């Protein structure tokens, strides 16, 4: 990481520290609105959005660094949704991107009917992160000629849901819902459901790798303090090997996720697939070992470890679990002229797949 | 016949036990059908249902190995194993009597006074008397011999002072065995420990909830403030607590619940894959992999039961089964989420695949900790290898 990225990471970490341990422990749904305000002031919520669309005009790498910090601090904010997904869709639709909070969805089976003055949509937006809290929802209608529809979030209409960490995952039923023509824009064919999934997966891989680092920090500290048989448990080789295994998985996950994000303005989909598969697999290992080392204490609601592990157990399944991405990679490997070409292809060749 | 590496016998369920299995199955089917309980993962530690326990007792399925003169059934360890397997396979709510049946009763039979046996065993077998385990303390987990709870001699008995933690079910059970230091540590850390039978409603006992990471109230902190324990409630010999508690841990570690905690999820996963039109061959192969491990572990678990029935030491075999079995329990949850490609929605309706998944997953940290961590169990296996 260069100095500029380090500085962004440090600022992001500083902002995340506004989310106090007490607030985190009390959290039972909703979001960290004050942290969001600070992120907004720092322009972090629209980092990769071009200035012409109201963003900060930075690259994907800058955004990735911030997302990683959010994951490490386990702050409930729709940052990946706003910065990586909605911001991207709105830019593609030549819209100015509001500061948010925004969220996004790419339903696979939405019926779209043209009507006087606009469109009528029928279908479901399932388990949308922070749905009822977002001001706008960017909906990608993935068709031969893809459309982006921008809905004012009908706050009361969402069916509230949550993930294992209590973060909102809300569902919205659209029943012949009218969307005025000016809020629906035809976009370039590269704005596909698949590209949406790649960006979502990249966001989750970054969050996961940040959270794994946090799990590791907590576990190292605990293993150095907890004594059994007259010595810190970190002195038992079985325990120190657990710490090493966690460190390896976390470092590998961060490295590949960051690599996928620093390939250019679009994520490198091959590396993103690898990153999400790696992070998904590692999340289970890291959560298991973190709990194993923390003993019964870490299994309680009073211990902050749960704030990390319930997120690891949730995020890994979003935007395709490791099996999904392994399949994608397997198919790409079989379709490539040969495996080594696929591994060494420059990122530009494979952006978006 | 046995393994050459570690002492494990090969044991098969005697054919004569199939009628018993069928009888238990019929009973459980009808209980589920009439809605008496909803199957769930981890039901043996967290499914507390006293009326259900009493109904089991009416069928003679609690305290099966307790001699008839103490109100039990005088049946064999393998008879009991069959009943346990059936209960666990459907995730029945057996937590109320589980600890009393599994470890309290055998400890009383081995170390208890005649008066203690007469007092507790018939009530345990009737599914009315529930026990908790008072071993762990804030600073004594894996290193159990370091317990600090003190027992001080007074007229007619002992006064106990200290704090026990992670005491499962202490807010609902009537009694627990407390491991305490009755003489100062003079170098041999295993000497000077004793076990006491303590009433959880006695004066000086305070039970406070410690919530699981899910918010559920299952275990507790139990504070003992000079709790008086009369001489008649000393278990076994004063000063012999370490040997006794080690034997108790043997019962605690050896059962089939150490591999079947997430079986309801595995069964639901198979239904889920079967139901799907594509019957994804990769998913079928993975179910095959899990099934092969289940079959292996179940045979190992039968070996442990068979060795206990034959009066052979089974500590090493039990440690091995618990290490492999509890990791299998976690693996089931990990595989299930991936194969079913299902979000672990915490609000899923009870009894559904997703609800089994969520519970199996969220409870998984406990599997490889409770009853002795897997690292400690491997220590037991490693020691056996040194002897081999
Ligand atoms: C769901 C649940 C229910 C429980 N119910 C009860 C109950 O009813 N009654 C009761 O008394 N207790 C109960 N316990 C406590 C349980 O017995 C302890 O959690 C267990 O003994 C481990 O102790 P600890 O949690 O203090 O971890 P620690 O002993 O502090 O261990 C922390 C980590 O260090 C490792 N470690 C420690 N020593 C060594 C070593 N020598 N070599 C290698 N690694 C080592 C451990 O394996 C673990 O990974 C329960 C626990 C759980 C999770």
């Amino acid at each position: 990481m260069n100095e500029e990225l380090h500085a962004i990471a440090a600022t992001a970490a500083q902002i995340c520290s506004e989310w106090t341990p007490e607030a985190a422990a009390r959290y039972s749904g909703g979001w960290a609105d004050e942290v969001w305000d600070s992120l907004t002031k720092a322009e972090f919520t629209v980092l990769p959005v071009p200035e012409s669309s109201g963003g900060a005009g930075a690259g994907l790498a800058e955004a990735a660094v911030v997302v990683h910090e959010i994951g490490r601090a386990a702050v409930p904010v729709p940052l990946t949704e706003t910065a990586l997904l909605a911001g991207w869709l709105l830019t593609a639709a030549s819209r100015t991107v509001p500061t948010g909070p925004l969220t996004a969805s790419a339903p696979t089976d939405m019926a779209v009917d043209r009507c006087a003055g606009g469109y009528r949509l029928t279908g479901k937006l399932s388990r949308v992160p922070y749905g009822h809290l977002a001001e706008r929802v960017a909906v990608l209608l993935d068709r031969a000629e893809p459309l982006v529809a921008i809905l004012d979030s009908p706050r009361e209409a969402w069916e509230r849901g949550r993930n294992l960490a209590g973060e909102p995952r809300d569902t919205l039923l659209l029943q012949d819902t009218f969307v005025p023509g000016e809020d629906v824009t035809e976009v370039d064919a590269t704005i596909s459901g698949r590209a949406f999934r790649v960006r979502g997966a990249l966001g989750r891989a970054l969050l996961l790798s940040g959270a794994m680092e946090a799990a590791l920090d907590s576990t190292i500290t605990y293993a150095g303090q907890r004594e059994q048989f007259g010595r810190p448990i970190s002195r038992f080789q079985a325990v120190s090997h657990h710490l090493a295994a966690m460190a390896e998985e976390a470092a590998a996950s961060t490295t590949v996720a960051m690599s996928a994000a620093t390939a250019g303005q679009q994520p490198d989909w091959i590396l993103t697939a690898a990153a999400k598969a790696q992070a998904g697999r590692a999340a289970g290992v890291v959560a298991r070992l973190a709990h194993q080392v923390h003993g019964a204490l870490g299994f309680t609601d009073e211990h902050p470890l749960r704030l990390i592990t319930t997120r690891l157990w949730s995020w890994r399944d979003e935007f395709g679990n490791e099996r999904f991405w392994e399949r994608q990679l397997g198919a790409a490997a079989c379709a490539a002229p040969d495996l080594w070409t696929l591994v060494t292809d420059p990122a530009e060749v494979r952006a978006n797949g | 016949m046995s393994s050459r590496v570690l002492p494990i016998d090969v044991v098969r369920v005697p054919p004569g036990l199939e009628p018993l299995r069928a009888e238990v199955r019929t009973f459980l089917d009808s209980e589920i059908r009439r809605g008496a309980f909803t199957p769930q993962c981890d039901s043996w530690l967290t499914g507390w249902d006293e009326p259900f326990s009493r109904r089991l007792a009416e069928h003679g399925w609690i305290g099966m190995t307790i001699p008839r003169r103490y109100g039990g059934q005088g049946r064999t360890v393998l008879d009991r194993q069959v009943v346990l397997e059936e209960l666990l396979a459907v995730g029945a709510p057996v937590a109320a009597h589980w600890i009393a049946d599994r470890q309290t009763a055998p400890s009383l039979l081995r170390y208890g006074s005649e008066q203690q046996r007469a007092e507790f065993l018939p009530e345990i077998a009737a599914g009315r008397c529930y026990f908790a385990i008072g071993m762990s303390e804030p600073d004594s987990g894996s290193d159990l011999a370091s317990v600090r709870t003190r027992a001080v001699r007074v007229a007619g008995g002992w006064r106990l002072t200290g704090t026990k933690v992670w005491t499962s079910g202490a807010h609902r059970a009537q009694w627990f065995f407390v491991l305490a230091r009755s003489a100062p540590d003079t170098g041999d850390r295993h000497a000077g420990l004793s076990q006491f039978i303590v009433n959880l409603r006695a004066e000086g006992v305070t039970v406070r909830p410690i919530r699981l990471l899910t918010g559920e109230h299952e275990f507790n902190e139990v504070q003992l403030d000079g709790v008086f324990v009369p001489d008649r409630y000393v278990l076994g010999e004063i000063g012999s607590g370490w040997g006794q508690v080690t034997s108790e841990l043997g019962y605690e570690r050896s059962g089939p619940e150490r591999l079947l905690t997430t079986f309801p999820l595995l069964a639901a996963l198979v239904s889920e894959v079967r139901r799907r039109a594509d019957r994804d061959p990769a998913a079928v192969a993975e179910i095959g992999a899990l099934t092969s491990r289940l079959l292996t572990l179940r045979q190992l678990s039968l070996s442990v039961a068979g060795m206990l029935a034959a009066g052979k030491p089974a500590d090493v075999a039990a440690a091995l089964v618990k290490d492999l079995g509890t990791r299998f329990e976690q693996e089931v949850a990990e595989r299930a989420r991936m194969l079913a490609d299902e979000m672990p929605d915490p609000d899923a309706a009870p009894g559904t695949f997703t609800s089994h998944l969520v519970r199996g997953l969220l409870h998984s940290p406990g599997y490889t900790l409770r009853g002795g961590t897997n690292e400690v169990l491997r220590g037991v296996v490693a020691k056996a290898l040194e002897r081999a």
Side-chain angles (χ1 to χ4, degrees):
Chain A
M1 264 202 308
N2 62 31
E3 259 169 52
E4 193 203 336
L5 291 182
H6 271 298
I8 291 175
T11 310
Q14 180 66 36
I15 292 173
C16 287
S17 68
E18 293 169 20
W19 183 240
T20 60
E22 296 73 40
R26 266 199 318 271
Y27 177 71
S28 64
W31 64 313
D33 51 354
E34 287 172 12
V35 178
W36 184 261
D37 289 342
S38 302
L39 289 168
T40 307
K41 283 195 200 99
E43 289 198 304
F44 283 174
T45 62
V46 288
L47 265 181
V49 174
E51 283 172 49
S52 55
S53 300
L60 206 50
E62 284 78 1
V65 166
V66 178
V67 173
H68 188 252
E69 289 303 323
I70 296 286
R72 185 205 293 276
V75 191
V77 285
L79 184 74
T80 57
E81 291 71 24
T82 301
L84 296 182
L85 296 170
W88 167 67
L89 290 177
L90 292 180
T91 303
S94 312
R95 291 311 191 88
T96 303
V97 180
T99 52
L102 309 173
T103 192
S105 178
T108 46
D109 48 5
M110 181 71 68
V112 183
D113 294 312
R114 262 222 101 107
C115 63
Y119 294 82
R120 289 196 176 277
L121 305 184
T122 299
K124 198 154 93 169
L125 308 181
S126 293
R127 294 186 73 79
V128 178
Y130 302 90
H132 78 278
L133 292 164
E135 275 164 18
R136 299 281 178 81
V137 192
V139 181
L140 172 61
L141 303 164
D142 188 22
R143 321 178 309 158
E145 283 142 9
L147 301 173
V148 169
I150 298 153
L151 312 184
D152 279 329
S153 174
R155 288 184 187 219
E156 298 314 312
W158 290 93
E159 183 196 314
R160 305 278 183 91
R162 54 190 180 139
N163 66 12
L164 296 176
E167 295 173 333
R169 295 295 183 262
D170 304 329
T171 295
L172 185 64
L173 275 178
L174 301 178
Q175 191 72 55
D176 247 347
T177 304
F178 177 72
V179 186
E182 71 252 28
D183 290 339
V184 181
T185 314
E186 216 172 281
V187 291
D188 188 280
T190 58
I191 312 298
S192 63
R194 181 182 172 77
F196 183 90
R197 211 172 177 130
V198 168
R199 288 181 153 259
L202 177 61
R204 287 301 177 270
L206 290 161
L207 287 173
L208 283 164
S209 59
M212 282 186 255
E213 290 181 9
L216 175 65
D217 285 346
S218 165
T219 310
I220 290 174
T221 305
Y222 185 74
Q225 289 166 350
R226 170 71 170 173
E227 291 193 5
Q228 288 290 279
F229 303 97
R231 75 201 73 165
I233 57 170
S234 59
R235 296 255 211 95
F236 297 114
Q237 198 168 45
V239 173
S240 64
H241 280 192
H242 287 338
L243 300 178
M246 292 172 70
E248 289 170 8
E249 292 292 356
S253 302
T254 298
T255 303
V256 66
M258 285 293 181
S259 308
T262 48
Q265 272 314 101
Q266 299 301 330
D268 173 338
W269 92 263
I270 292 281
L271 275 182
T272 300
K276 185 62 167 54
Q278 160 64 29
R281 222 174 21 239
V285 174
V286 168
R288 174 169 61 78
L289 294 177
H291 276 297
Q292 190 65 17
V293 174
H294 278 82
L297 192 66
F299 192 38
T300 65
D301 78 341
E302 281 161 51
H303 198 282
L305 181 61
R306 76 178 162 87
L307 303 171
I308 307 168
T309 52
T310 51
R311 285 178 169 81
L312 291 175
W313 290 325
S314 300
W315 293 339
R316 64 182 178 170
D317 284 329
E318 295 176 345
F319 297 98
N321 65 19
E322 53 270 36
R323 171 164 279 251
F324 173 87
W325 288 109
E326 284 162 5
R327 284 216 163 117
Q328 301 288 311
L329 271 183
C334 294
D338 65 274
L339 181 58
W340 194 241
T341 309
L342 176 97
V343 171
T344 52
D345 253 354
E348 313 81 74
V349 179
R350 57 199 191 196
N352 273 330
Chain B
M1 201 175 45
S2 71
S3 151
R4 287 219 208 144
V5 189
L6 289 167
I8 300 173
D9 290 356
V10 175
V11 174
R12 294 187 66 91
V13 183
L17 291 185
E18 289 319 303
L20 171 62
R21 189 182 294 283
E23 200 192 329
V24 180
R25 225 173 254 186
T26 307
F27 166 76
L28 291 172
D29 275 352
S30 82
E31 290 279 296
I32 294 171
R33 250 182 292 114
R34 73 183 183 88
F37 72 86
T38 306
Q40 60 178 7
C41 290
D42 204 16
S43 63
W44 62 268
L45 198 67
T46 58
W48 194 283
D49 183 339
E50 299 183 12
F52 181 78
S53 291
R54 285 194 290 271
R55 285 199 294 283
L56 281 182
E58 279 160 23
H59 284 85
W61 295 331
I62 298 182
M64 288 177 76
T65 57
I66 296 176
R68 288 188 164 273
R69 66 177 184 286
Y70 297 122
Q73 302 294 320
R75 302 187 71 153
T76 69
V77 174
L78 284 173
D79 291 351
R80 177 169 174 268
Q81 177 91 357
V82 164
V83 173
L84 298 188
E85 284 185 341
E86 293 301 314
L87 290 167
L88 294 163
V90 297
V94 292
H97 68 271
W98 195 260
I99 290 167
D101 178 79
R102 176 180 72 188
Q103 64 203 82
T104 312
S107 283
L108 286 169
L109 282 166
R110 194 153 171 198
Y111 302 108
S113 66
E114 195 48 42
Q115 196 188 6
Q116 289 166 358
R117 294 179 192 177
E119 178 176 351
F120 292 110
L121 293 176
E123 285 296 293
I124 289 175
R128 284 193 296 258
C129 180
Y130 314 126
F131 271 78
I133 306 169
M135 296 186 197
S136 306
E137 297 182 3
D139 294 320
S140 306
S142 300
D143 185 11
L144 187 56
S146 69
V147 289
R148 296 203 186 137
T149 295
R150 269 179 308 121
V152 176
R153 190 74 181 126
V154 292
W158 298 78
R159 282 209 183 272
L160 268 53
T161 303
T163 306
K164 293 292 172 183
V165 279
W166 326 125
T167 323
S168 301
H171 54 309
R172 294 185 278 218
Q174 298 107 327
W175 299 87
F176 74 152
F177 283 0
V178 171
L179 179 69
R181 184 153 282 290
S182 50
D185 185 348
T186 54
D188 176 4
R189 30 200 328 266
H190 295 161
L193 294 170
S194 305
Q195 280 187 298
F196 301 86
I197 307 171
V198 178
N199 191 316
L200 282 158
R201 309 281 163 271
E203 213 183 305
V205 178
T206 314
V207 179
R208 286 192 208 93
I210 308 176
R211 295 188 187 279
L212 302 190
L213 56 71
T214 53
E216 293 161 288
H217 178 193
E218 302 294 352
F219 52 30
N220 303 275
E221 178 189 275
V222 184
Q223 201 177 314
L224 306 166
D225 283 318
V227 178
F228 178 71
V229 180
D231 283 329
R232 68 173 196 282
Y233 285 152
V234 170
L235 180 71
E237 300 288 322
I238 286 292
S240 302
W242 184 252
Q244 292 173 201
V245 88
T246 309
S247 143
E248 185 184 338
L249 278 172
Y251 301 117
E252 180 172 345
R253 288 174 180 170
S254 58
E257 71 270 34
R258 302 302 185 175
L259 58 115
L260 291 174
T261 300
T262 52
F263 183 81
L265 171 58
L266 180 54
L269 173 68
V270 174
S271 309
E272 200 56 25
V273 171
R274 187 192 296 129
R275 197 176 53 80
R276 291 218 204 124
D278 61 356
R279 293 234 182 144
D280 177 358
V284 173
E286 289 225 36
I287 284 174
L290 290 170
T291 306
S292 80
R293 288 178 57 204
L294 173 64
L295 284 163
T296 306
L297 288 162
R298 192 220 171 198
Q299 271 332 116
L300 283 164
S301 176
L302 285 171
S303 293
V304 173
M307 289 163 73
L308 288 172
K312 295 189 186 177
D315 306 18
V316 177
L320 172 158
V321 180
K322 186 169 177 294
D323 182 24
L324 291 177
T326 52
R327 282 193 289 133
F328 170 75
E329 293 174 340
Q330 290 178 338
E331 189 69 16
V332 165
E334 287 295 298
R335 295 276 122 189
R337 64 162 266 267
M338 203 143 76
L339 289 178
D341 197 9
E342 197 64 49
M343 292 296 159
D345 179 353
D347 301 310
T352 57
F353 170 81
T354 307
S355 80
H356 288 315
L357 174 64
V358 167
R359 196 176 173 80
L361 205 59
L362 289 178
H363 282 225
S364 64
Y367 310 159
T368 49
L369 295 170
R370 59 194 184 194
T373 70
N374 289 39
E375 291 71 22
V376 166
L377 296 171
R378 282 200 190 166
V380 172
V381 174
K383 276 228 176 68
L385 291 176
E386 286 167 19
R387 288 196 301 265

